[in-house]
Each structure stands twice: as C-alpha cells, then as structure tokens.
C-alpha cells in the first residue's frame, strides 16, 4: 500500500493563478480531509469529505474548492492564488468519519504564492 | 479556532531523559489523540485516549487525560535522538462536525545525543 500520496511536493505560483493539489489514498478510506499548516500553528481544516460525492467546509475554506468523485481521490483547487495561501498543505484519510479513527497523513505539498 | 494548546512550545533534553508535554483544550471532547511530525514530513498517529479513560500506555509513551481540568499530558520515557520531532494533540469535540479533529500548535522536542 502506498498510503496517502500527494502531488506535487513543491509548487510556486503567482498571485491570481489557479492550480490543483492532488491527493490519493489506496486504503479504501471513507473520510478524507485537507489541512494547511502555517509556521508556529497547528493544522487547520480546510475541507473534508465523509464519502464519495459528499464534501463540507472546515475552519478555513475560503479560496479553496474540493470535489470527491471517487473514494480514492480528493483534489484541492486553489481558485485564484493569494500570498496568504502560502503554506504547507496536508491531505489525510481515515477509515470512517468516526473521530476516534486514526488519520493517515500524506507527505505534504509546500506552496509558495508570490 | 484552536482547541488544543500544547505546553511548552519547545523542549530540549538529553538522550535518556523523560520528556513531558501538556495539552489543554476548551470544550468537551469525545477523545484526544497525539501525533508526531518529523521535520518536513506528514503527521503520524501515536496514541488515542477516550474521554472515559484516564491513562493509556503504548511502549515508551504514557498519556493521561483529566477531563475536569480539560488537559492531557504525553510522557516519553528514556528519550532517544530519534524522538526529535514536533508533537501535536488533536481533539474530537463532543457535538462537533463528523470526524473533524482540531489540532494544537505543537511542542517541538529536541533530544540531544
């Protein structure tokens, strides 16, 4: 099992550009989520999904869009990048939405917006 | 909104010593988890403690939970250089959104050989 994979590992964007961060898991997990991590901060939840076709907003959803057409994939789209979106982005998955389930994290995407 | 707050922010110890990190939270929880993050990597789950549990062990890890004080501690015994990492607590709020964990800001642990 590859676990949770994320691409790209690094990305530099100019203000106003759009892009998609890819996330995939091969563990047949129902629950997937996106977090951002800023220096000196914990992880903040952007969007999450409890199953294919179902998504919802987390704590900091503005400027991001998600969809979940398959169980395996959960891409995060930046609609019009802003410098405030410079961060490290982590995708995570767990077997179910049950909060006691272990979350498995991807290696992260380091995004810089100029 | 940050639920968990770890203390201290940074901790530096010698190999073989014990490391204790604390986490305080604000609202009632269903469970609390601890994660480790090595530099430049994703988070790795360490241990979960449920709201009706007071103490849990896993190898060199010992976690306590005091729901009356809304706090938890993570003890790493006989630390090793490989334990150098940031440690985060994450809580599942009672009545919160399905499956969502709220992470603290973390404690950065440095274990010197």
């Amino acid at each position: 099992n590859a676990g949770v994979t994320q691409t790209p590992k690094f990305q530099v964007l100019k203000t106003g550009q759009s892009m998609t961060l890819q996330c995939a898991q091969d563990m047949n997990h129902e629950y997937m989520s996106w977090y951002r991590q800023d220096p000196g901060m914990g992880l903040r939840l952007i969007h999450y999904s409890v199953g294919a076709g179902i998504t919802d907003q987390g704590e900091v959803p503005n400027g991001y869009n998600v969809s979940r057409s398959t169980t395996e994939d959960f891409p995060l789209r930046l609609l019009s990048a802003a410098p405030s979106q410079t961060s490290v982005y982590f995708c995570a998955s767990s077997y179910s939405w049950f909060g006691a389930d272990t979350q498995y994290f991807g290696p992260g995407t380091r995004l810089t917006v100029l | 909104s940050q639920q968990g707050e770890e203390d201290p922010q940074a901790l530096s110890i010698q190999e073989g010593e014990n490391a204790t990190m604390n986490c305080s939270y604000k609202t009632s929880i269903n469970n609390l988890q601890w994660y480790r993050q090595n530099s430049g990597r994703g988070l790795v789950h360490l241990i979960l403690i449920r709201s009706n549990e007071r103490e849990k062990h896993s190898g060199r890890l010992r976690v306590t939970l005091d729901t009356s004080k809304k706090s938890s501690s993570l003890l790493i015994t006989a630390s090793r250089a490989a334990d150098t990492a940031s440690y985060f607590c994450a809580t599942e709020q009672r009545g919160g959104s399905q499956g969502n964990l709220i992470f603290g800001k973390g404690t950065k642990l440095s274990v010197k050989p």
Side-chain angles (χ1 to χ4, degrees):
Chain A
N1 281 354
V4 180
T5 58
Q6 290 182 239
T7 56
K9 289 191 187 307
F10 302 94
Q11 183 71 48
V12 178
L13 292 177
K14 294 182 180 177
T15 297
Q17 287 184 316
S18 63
M19 80 158 293
T20 299
L21 279 63
Q22 302 291 344
C23 174
Q25 51 88 12
D26 61 359
M27 297 174 282
N28 202 31
H29 284 173
E30 289 294 322
Y31 184 88
M32 295 185 75
S33 54
W34 277 101
Y35 293 89
R36 60 177 287 172
Q37 183 177 34
D38 301 297
M41 302 284 288
L43 278 70
R44 291 184 292 170
L45 183 66
I46 304 172
H47 284 285
Y48 65 97
S49 169
V50 299
I54 306 169
T55 64
D56 208 343
Q57 296 180 350
E59 181 187 353
V60 288
N62 291 343
Y64 307 95
N65 205 353
V66 292
S67 60
R68 183 101 178 266
S69 55
T70 67
T71 299
E72 294 79 19
D73 300 298
F74 191 44
L76 176 73
R77 280 180 281 278
L78 277 69
L79 308 172
S80 177
S84 61
Q85 294 178 304
T86 293
S87 188
V88 182
Y89 291 84
F90 289 100
C91 178
S93 73
S94 59
Y95 178 70
S96 75
W97 54 263
F98 184 48
D101 276 351
T102 296
Q103 296 215 19
Y104 294 85
F105 283 81
T109 294
R110 188 174 293 273
L111 176 69
T112 302
V113 183
L114 302 175
Chain B
S1 59
Q2 300 292 140
Q3 162 80 314
E5 291 286 339
E6 288 90 344
D7 169 60
Q9 291 186 348
L11 180 61
S12 183
I13 60 175
Q14 294 293 131
E15 211 166 25
E17 294 180 338
N18 295 343
T20 300
M21 289 159 268
N22 303 297
C23 169
S24 59
Y25 56 90
K26 298 173 185 173
T27 63
S28 296
I29 61 171
N30 290 328
N31 60 73
L32 185 146
Q33 304 183 36
W34 284 90
Y35 285 80
R36 183 188 73 223
Q37 184 181 33
N38 290 87
S39 181
R41 308 287 292 272
L43 277 71
V44 174
H45 179 261
L46 294 176
I47 195 167
L48 175 146
I49 187 164
R50 300 180 191 277
S51 61
N52 61 353
E53 297 176 311
R54 292 296 166 258
E55 186 171 317
K56 206 160 182 182
H57 296 256
S58 177
R60 293 184 296 112
L61 305 180
R62 172 176 169 255
V63 170
T64 61
L65 180 64
D66 187 335
T67 52
S68 66
K69 295 181 180 178
K70 292 187 170 59
S71 68
S72 172
S73 67
L74 171 68
L75 168 67
I76 304 174
T77 59
S79 62
R80 306 166 182 167
D83 294 328
T84 294
S86 292
Y87 292 82
F88 296 88
C89 66
T91 54
E92 183 200 6
Q93 288 180 279
R94 191 163 296 167
S97 299
Q98 293 174 333
N100 292 349
L101 295 180
I102 301 179
F103 286 82
K105 296 180 182 180
T107 291
K108 193 167 187 177
L109 174 65
S110 175
V111 181
K112 298 178 180 175

